[in-house]
Amino acid sequence: MQETILIKLGELVLKGLNRKNFESVLLKNIRRRLSGLGEFEVKSAQSTIYVIPKNEDADLDAAEEKIGKIFGIVAYSRACVAEKELSAIQKAAAEYLREELLDASTFKVETKRSDKKFAYNSPEISNEVGGYLLEQYPHLSVNVHEPDLIVRVEVRDFGAYVHGNPRPGAGGIPVGTGGKAAILISGGIDSPVAAWSIAKRGVELTGIHFASPPYTSQRAEEKVVRLLEKVSEYSGRMEMITVPFTRIQEEILAKCPEELFTIIMRRFMMRAAERIARRNHCEALITGESLGQVASQTMQAIACTDAVANMPVFRPLIGTDKAEIVATSYKIGTYDISIEPYEDCCTVFTPKHPRTRPIPHLVEAAESALDVEGLLADCLQNLRYTKIGWYRKEE
Ligand code: ATP
Ligand code: MG
């Protein structure tokens, strides 16, 4: 039986003139994500995207899993393709949905006929297919209000499709339609979730990770790569840029008051991240901060950090509780990696009593003991790039 995947588009149907652009980005994203799984035809017609395997080698199960993680898709269904003939549609429904029909007690048939040349109209098709299914599965009864299973028949130009209840897609809007931003990524729970949240709004990502060897290990950095690999299942491929941060941290430790260590360090992160972001065509910085979570995430500390940034800093988790962030990290598969116990540069020199309400001019005065520009120039000369989520042939 020939199968295909039918994809229903998300919010992008609302976007009027932008719609064509959104749809073409989504098609490109789907094609790229399916690369390596065999040959598929991916085309759009009549508000639906079709993913059609071209031969037996195309891995439809794997394709389905990938499609469930592509932003811009509200729902998708795996469907069987039948001849455009009533008896073929009836048989296809009975065979293809066998398991679902056996599991259900009640069902109804819903038909959409976009090919108006087909001899039967939609209610007639529903009636005929419903009647046939009742004969084949006598345990079933029809319930039009709250059925366990809706058998969907779509008679389209290319053929007739039969499928069961659709699966929910990842929602959001297609990555690549909302510009590009740099996510400041640590090995924690929050920043991968922040990355996922902003990608969901159509934003392409670049990862920026600060590492402080020998205080932080190679394995800690590898953990961050694995986290971004997970995020990239949703956000698509990206690059991670590792920033050597040891010297900056050691200088702050040696020359600034201990209670201001964290805030000064975060201002350096912002300055470095902004410059890297600009070089890589990113228009915003993203962090995983949440108001009140730690000393550096009070309103006053955030104001003091943002004072050195000259591009928007988005904090998608600002109003969320840890429990909500954890729930999302489970859902997207980053939690188990995040809780692996590796050190982060933010935690290696943590002061005992960090200032929760830093006063900007005192922070600036403390920073005057440092060669800010020299330190930044030095670390920006030694960036390392790692490709995340790239398909082999793309390299
Ligand atoms: P997470 O790092 O996921 O937030 P966390 O709560 O342990 O977990 P925080 O100390 O709260 O980390 O850091 C706040 C934010 O600063 C992070 O969400 C992230 O955006 C950024 N950040 C922290 N450490 C790093 C790092 N080593 N490299 C890049 N960004 C970092
Ligand atoms: Mg945090």
Side-chain angles (χ1 to χ4, degrees):
M1 205 174 294
Q2 201 201 327
E3 278 190 293
T4 188
I5 298 174
L6 304 180
I7 294 174
K8 303 285 174 195
L9 310 187
E11 246 177 85
L12 65 88
V13 291
L14 307 172
K15 299 282 177 186
L17 288 175
N18 280 334
R19 195 199 144 112
K20 272 277 151 235
N21 174 40
F22 278 42
E23 200 174 294
S24 73
V25 173
L26 181 56
L27 282 169
K28 200 171 81 192
N29 291 350
I30 295 172
R31 288 193 186 110
R32 187 180 282 153
R33 287 311 165 82
L34 299 186
S35 51
L37 303 180
E39 285 184 57
F40 291 92
E41 185 188 358
V42 181
K43 67 178 179 186
S44 156
Q46 298 166 310
S47 325
T48 300
I49 291 176
Y50 296 74
V51 175
I52 306 162
K54 282 190 176 170
N55 51 44
E56 299 246 306
D57 296 335
D59 187 344
L60 208 60
D61 291 340
E64 195 180 353
E65 203 189 316
K66 297 253 183 200
I67 285 166
K69 294 179 177 173
I70 298 176
F71 292 129
I73 294 174
V74 257
Y76 61 98
S77 309
R78 197 154 157 166
C80 82
V81 190
E83 297 260 319
K84 287 208 297 193
E85 196 193 304
L86 190 60
S87 65
I89 296 173
Q90 288 172 319
K91 281 207 191 85
E95 275 172 43
Y96 187 64
L97 297 176
R98 188 180 150 75
E99 273 171 37
E100 284 101 317
L101 288 161
L102 287 171
D103 274 351
S105 318
T106 57
F107 81 110
K108 74 171 172 178
V109 182
E110 268 182 17
T111 304
K112 255 201 252 153
R113 183 188 60 143
S114 44
D115 173 9
K116 301 296 177 203
K117 287 191 249 110
F118 192 70
Y120 299 83
N121 67 24
S122 300
E124 285 166 349
I125 300 169
S126 295
N127 268 336
E128 294 293 332
V129 174
Y132 183 79
L133 292 176
L134 283 172
E135 278 170 25
Q136 302 295 312
Y137 297 91
H139 74 284
L140 283 176
S141 60
V142 172
N143 177 342
V144 290
H145 299 298
E146 244 182 298
D148 297 334
L149 175 67
I150 302 181
V151 174
R152 288 162 217 263
V153 178
E154 301 187 30
V155 183
R156 293 169 169 270
D157 291 348
F158 312 118
Y161 298 84
V162 176
H163 57 96
N165 295 333
R167 301 204 168 173
I173 47 185
V175 170
T177 57
K180 194 171 167 192
I183 167 78
L184 279 75
I185 181 92
S186 70
I189 294 171
D190 304 332
S191 46
V193 173
W196 174 86
S197 310
I198 218 77
K200 188 172 185 184
R201 299 313 299 162
V203 176
E204 193 186 333
L205 299 175
T206 291
I208 299 183
H209 175 65
F210 292 86
S212 289
Y215 307 103
T216 61
S217 63
Q218 181 62 30
R219 293 184 69 187
E221 189 180 330
E222 282 160 13
K223 174 187 176 184
V224 178
V225 171
R226 280 185 287 130
L227 281 170
L228 285 183
E229 291 281 355
K230 278 279 168 204
V231 172
S232 76
E233 290 175 17
Y234 293 88
S235 68
R237 62 188 190 174
M238 69 175 98
E239 245 170 350
M240 179 177 110
I241 301 167
T242 305
V243 190
F245 209 42
T246 317
R247 187 155 163 243
I248 290 180
Q249 288 195 300
E250 285 176 344
E251 282 282 298
I252 304 172
L253 196 66
K255 298 185 178 158
C256 301
E258 189 193 347
E259 59 170 16
L260 295 181
F261 175 84
T262 307
I263 192 74
I264 293 176
M265 175 192 73
R266 296 201 65 82
R267 280 160 63 95
F268 268 96
M269 280 185 161
M270 283 296 163
R271 291 185 183 105
E274 179 181 337
R275 289 170 205 210
I276 297 165
R278 286 196 194 285
R279 285 186 193 175
N280 289 278
H281 315 289
C282 297
E283 294 166 286
L285 302 177
I286 318 295
T287 80
E289 289 163 300
S290 154
L291 201 60
Q293 193 186 76
V294 288
S296 63
Q297 295 173 27
T298 63
M299 230 188 283
Q300 296 77 6
I302 287 175
C304 197
T305 311
D306 279 6
V308 297
N310 294 303
M311 66 167 53
V313 182
F314 295 140
R315 297 177 169 87
L317 309 183
I318 197 72
T320 51
D321 294 345
K322 197 74 185 185
E324 295 169 291
I325 301 171
V326 164
T328 308
S329 78
Y330 266 126
K331 191 177 86 176
I332 64 174
T334 53
Y335 183 78
D336 287 340
I337 305 173
S338 288
I339 59 171
E340 289 175 15
Y342 292 108
E343 64 295 331
D344 180 60
C345 73
C346 268
T347 46
V348 284
F349 302 120
T350 320
K352 279 196 203 72
H353 302 290
R355 267 217 168 259
T356 51
R357 294 180 183 199
I359 297 161
H361 74 268
L362 295 182
V363 174
E364 283 161 21
E367 277 176 355
S368 67
L370 304 170
D371 172 14
V372 174
E373 285 306 316
L375 286 169
L376 282 171
D378 198 35
C379 88
L380 294 179
Q381 264 174 9
N382 294 297
L383 304 177
R384 268 187 296 110
Y385 293 76
T386 310
K387 282 190 158 83
I388 310 275
W390 287 56
Y391 172 56
R392 267 178 285 108
K393 282 190 182 159
E394 291 173 333
E395 307 238 346

